Amino acid sequence: MGKLIVGNLKMNILTVAERDRYCESFTKELGTKALAGVEIVLCPPVIHLENFAQKLKGGKVAIGVQNVFWDDRGSFTGEVSPLMVKNFGADYVIVGHSERRRYFGESDEMFNAKMKAALKNDLNVVFCVGETLEEKKANQTSEVIAEQLGKGLAELPLMKISKIVIAYEPVWAVGSDEVPSEDEIMLAKILIRKILVAKLGAEYADKVRILYGGSVNARTVEQVCLKPGMDGVLVGRESLIPVEFLRIAEIIDKNI
Ligand code: PGA
């Protein structure tokens, strides 16, 4: 399994002109890099999904979305379904981002339903887990992660488990320019791996990749990904600048 570099563009890229500039710059920059051992996933706002898929999807680049609903169709005003995004070019979806928990009150039970629906539609899922600053200070990191994984991954079909990727994203590191130490990330990775083995058995647990997310950039990538031996990264702000985003991908690729 190659290393995975996921870009979460969040609620940015506001105009057609801005979108076109982004795609052009991304294509140009990608053409200058070898990137033999990494897979790249770009998750634009869903309004840009079809355009991004047409322009950028292929080779080592896949397109994803930042959220989906848990049913395929029906009277769910404002929602977008996994089947829709699949049909419009998405192969990945981010589920459980801390901003979904914080601003929309989404729960692990909802994330579980979303993941089941995503897997049913053959989408790959990046499931985010991680502690808040308060939970970290109260030494609750392990139990928070265990609970999020326990509820989030309940009764998922084992045959599709290789489509699940876990992103360890400490909430306090998202958008903050603060990152955990190499040891803290290594401990989180060991904990996640242990929980996966207990839940799924070693054979299936081994198929699940574990990424790091939160203030990843070209300067932090060694500490947060390479040294702790993570399977890749989930990148927010820096994914808005193709040169910076692909620089992160290149650093990881050169160190495989
Ligand atoms: P950041 O965001 O890289 O801007 O910290 C990461 C994320 O929210 O996925």
Side-chain angles (χ1 to χ4, degrees):
M1 283 192 291
K3 302 275 180 188
L4 198 58
I5 324 291
V6 184
N8 175 7
L9 298 172
K10 305 197 180 179
M11 199 173 73
N12 296 295
I13 307 189
L14 306 188
T15 64
V16 169
E18 199 184 337
R19 177 183 73 195
D20 291 349
R21 271 199 308 276
Y22 183 93
C23 289
E24 261 170 47
S25 160
F26 188 91
T27 306
K28 190 167 150 235
E29 200 53 34
L30 187 69
T32 67
K33 309 224 181 288
L35 301 180
V38 298
E39 291 168 61
I40 292 167
V41 182
L42 272 180
C43 302
V46 74
I47 198 165
H48 300 311
L49 167 62
E50 189 179 5
N51 192 272
F52 265 59
Q54 280 166 1
K55 286 185 182 151
L56 303 179
K57 184 170 155 169
K60 46 191 147 281
V61 181
I63 305 298
V65 290
Q66 301 165 18
N67 178 38
V68 280
F69 191 60
W70 55 71
D71 211 341
D72 282 345
R73 75 180 75 229
S75 301
F76 302 103
T77 301
E79 291 299 313
V80 173
S81 87
L83 178 56
M84 280 173 190
V85 301
K86 181 81 189 170
N87 287 339
F88 281 80
D91 288 310
Y92 277 81
V93 56
I94 299 171
V95 172
H97 193 281
S98 56
E99 287 153 15
R100 300 296 314 172
R101 295 180 190 271
R102 184 162 152 207
Y103 300 118
F104 305 99
E106 291 189 6
S107 64
D108 289 310
E109 288 76 10
M110 290 179 188
F111 299 143
N112 178 250
K114 288 175 182 219
M115 282 194 267
K116 284 179 181 153
L119 290 181
K120 193 180 95 188
N121 286 291
D122 257 338
L123 290 163
N124 297 281
V125 173
V126 179
F127 179 43
C128 305
V129 298
E131 78 287 1
T132 63
L133 188 59
E134 293 67 40
E135 289 161 344
K136 177 181 162 64
K137 283 183 182 157
N139 279 323
Q140 291 169 337
T141 299
S142 304
E143 48 189 288
V144 167
I145 293 175
E147 179 166 346
Q148 291 170 339
L149 287 175
K151 291 183 180 165
L153 301 182
E155 293 160 12
L156 295 188
L158 282 178
M159 295 318 291
K160 291 199 170 174
I161 217 70
S162 63
K163 290 190 159 293
I164 299 282
V165 178
I166 307 295
Y168 171 55
E169 277 215 322
V171 182
W172 52 272
V174 173
S176 70
D177 282 329
E178 275 181 64
V179 290
S181 68
E182 178 191 333
D183 286 350
E184 285 174 316
I185 297 175
M186 196 108 75
L187 282 176
K189 180 184 136 186
I190 292 167
L191 173 74
I192 292 169
R193 187 63 70 205
K194 250 194 191 158
I195 295 169
L196 291 176
V197 170
K199 230 178 145 39
L200 311 170
E203 187 196 339
Y204 288 106
D206 271 357
K207 298 178 195 280
V208 177
R209 285 182 280 190
I210 305 175
L211 315 183
Y212 169 80
S215 295
V216 178
N217 58 44
R219 295 169 304 286
T220 58
V221 64
E222 185 172 356
Q223 176 176 327
V224 300
C225 177
L226 300 178
K227 285 194 176 157
M230 303 305 274
D231 300 314
V233 286
L234 175 54
V235 184
R237 281 158 296 165
E238 299 290 291
S239 67
L240 288 166
I241 312 161
V243 176
E244 290 301 322
F245 181 58
L246 291 170
R247 182 171 296 158
I248 295 168
E250 189 171 44
I251 294 171
I252 292 175
D253 188 52
K254 285 194 170 148
N255 281 279
I256 290 172

